[in-house]
Amino acid sequence: MSALESFSAGFKAGSGALAGADAPWLAALRQRAFDRFQQEGWPVAKQESWHHTSLAVLDQQDFALRGEARVAAEKIQALRDGEAGHWLVFVDGRYTPQLSDVGALPAGVQIQAVSQVLRDHPERLEAYFGSEADGASTAALNLALADDGICIRVARGEQVELPIHAVFVSASRQAASFSRNIVVLEGGAQATLIEHYVGDGAGVSLSSTVLRAVLAADARLVHLKLQQEDEQAFHLGESDIAQEQGSNYVSHSMSFGARLARNDIVTHFNGEHCETLLNGLYYVDGKRHVDHHTWIDHARPYGVSREYYRGILADTARGVFAGRILVAPGSDGTDAVQRSDSLLLSRMARADARPELEIYADDVKCAHGATVGQIDETSLFYLRSRGLDAEHARSILIYAFAAQAIERIADESLRRRVTRAVRGLLPGKELLGGMA
């Protein structure tokens, strides 16, 4: 049975058991979304935005919609590593309260599992759950099957001082999980969300995840997505951000796991003076494949966007970056920078970069660029002339390339977490032990 057939059978048999199934608006929305997915199927290479990424291998898998594995509390404690915060843990797509620790919340701050909200007050999510027309057909499949995830709402002017952690553990073999995360920040509110995707020996699994965030005027969201799934896993992720006047969205997309990972990030400037930073880093080896697609919609004047993606590729791995910045008519004062840099560690590794500017306003400042190359021999010679052996010098240069992305993470605890993940993956990692 193919993945498409698995999901078709699972939706027909189990849609009535999904959280919120009794809400007429949600049942109708899920049906429309599933109808779209059945009509379109998986995205194919003839679609421009999927030209470099094939889901044929994914469709050859036979997935179960819910796993039954358990995760030891010690694993979650190791992930936490003593870090303070508000923690919600999901195992194979299901909220697991016994592994979670939401903690005390400030007045005006709500942090819940989506399944809880859909069970008790589904009407509160109707305006934020999305439409069957959003994104690719993969997002429509997510909409049809997702009934859990993290739901965050922060009242006007409130600041959540500690980071909010949403940990998604893939623990069952051949299990597919569908999560839909929702963040609503009212005027002037601030929060930090960490989405952490990890494997627990699941092998072949699928994580389908969609983040929908609404940032009111002057709100600020820092969003770190750290992906560390098993080597045979599949990951399909989308982030859809709506920004109102003066809001600030900071995204750090760190992709270090999965056989195939696709991340789509879209942010819409619906008011003047919006700001966004899209910062990405990925490492792929073996035959793994990572694809980042971004779209920054400068729909209003005086928006500022910065976009930097870095990839490290070894063996026969492949990395894809396609970034689009759209400056709409009348969006004067736009200031946008987009850059993609890829480091190839072998002759068989491949990086595809397609930065794109589409400008319909005159008074703007925009720039974009991309590089694909290997380790600089001059820098390597310089380090070796200072007494380092070839392997040590090479490891330092690879880490220095990654560090430029890590340094853009302003929060020290988040930066430390990503640094540990990067150093544990890079070639020559045992030689990097003394580096910060």
Side-chain angles (χ1 to χ4, degrees), residues 44-277:
V44 294
K46 67 180 181 180
Q47 296 171 243
E48 185 177 358
S49 61
W50 290 83
H51 183 66
H52 298 293
T53 299
S54 170
L55 299 182
V57 176
L58 170 62
D59 193 46
Q60 294 171 9
Q61 310 299 320
D62 182 7
F63 290 108
L65 288 181
R66 290 292 190 186
E68 299 295 338
R70 297 175 179 266
V71 173
E74 290 77 12
K75 181 175 181 64
I76 304 303
Q77 292 300 323
L79 284 174
R80 291 187 63 166
D81 194 28
E83 186 175 334
H86 310 284
W87 293 76
L88 273 75
V89 178
F90 302 82
V91 178
D92 291 332
R94 292 178 176 175
Y95 174 56
T96 311
Q98 61 268 30
L99 297 177
S100 302
D101 182 12
V102 178
L105 297 174
V109 177
Q110 298 174 2
I111 303 175
Q112 296 175 279
V114 165
S115 57
Q116 294 176 308
V117 183
L118 289 178
R119 183 181 62 245
D120 300 332
H121 301 285
E123 71 282 356
R124 295 180 180 176
L125 295 183
E126 185 172 3
Y128 308 108
F129 220 67
S131 163
E132 72 278 5
D134 296 334
S137 61
T138 50
L141 178 65
N142 176 281
L143 180 57
L145 294 173
D147 68 342
D148 220 337
I150 190 168
C151 181
I152 302 168
R153 184 158 195 146
V154 184
R156 178 179 298 274
E158 292 286 350
Q159 297 185 21
V160 186
E161 299 293 340
L162 296 176
I164 303 166
H165 295 257
V167 181
F168 297 87
V169 185
S170 296
S172 299
R173 291 184 179 275
Q174 300 296 145
S177 61
F178 295 84
S179 60
R180 184 154 284 237
N181 304 312
I182 297 174
V183 179
V184 180
L185 303 185
E186 297 182 5
Q190 297 186 26
T192 297
L193 169 63
I194 302 173
E195 287 184 71
H196 196 172
Y197 295 87
V198 296
D200 189 32
V204 177
S205 64
L206 168 64
S207 295
S208 168
T209 175
V210 170
L211 168 69
R212 294 183 55 80
V214 177
L215 279 59
D218 301 316
R220 174 179 170 82
L221 175 64
V222 177
H223 175 214
L224 172 67
K225 182 175 180 180
L226 181 56
Q227 181 210 333
Q228 294 177 294
E229 287 133 317
D230 294 335
E231 290 186 2
Q232 294 302 311
F234 296 89
H235 184 98
L236 301 176
E238 297 198 17
S239 298
D240 194 321
I241 317 300
Q243 296 187 235
E244 298 301 328
Q245 180 171 338
S247 61
N248 189 315
Y249 174 61
V250 176
S251 166
H252 303 290
S253 180
M254 306 285 139
S255 184
F256 307 135
R259 176 180 182 177
L260 184 151
R262 165 85 178 210
N263 291 284
D264 288 80
I265 303 171
V266 179
T267 185
H268 306 274
F269 287 4
N270 297 325
E272 297 183 2
H273 298 284
C274 292
E275 295 186 17
T276 196
L277 167 65

Side-chain angles (χ1 to χ4, degrees), residues 299-328:
R300 294 291 185 269
Y302 309 113
V304 177
S305 66
R306 295 291 183 266
E307 186 172 9
Y308 307 102
Y309 279 79
R310 301 206 136 210
I312 303 170
L313 303 96
D315 306 320
T316 60
R318 186 175 185 184
V320 179
F321 170 79
R324 180 186 179 201
I325 294 178
L326 173 63
V327 182

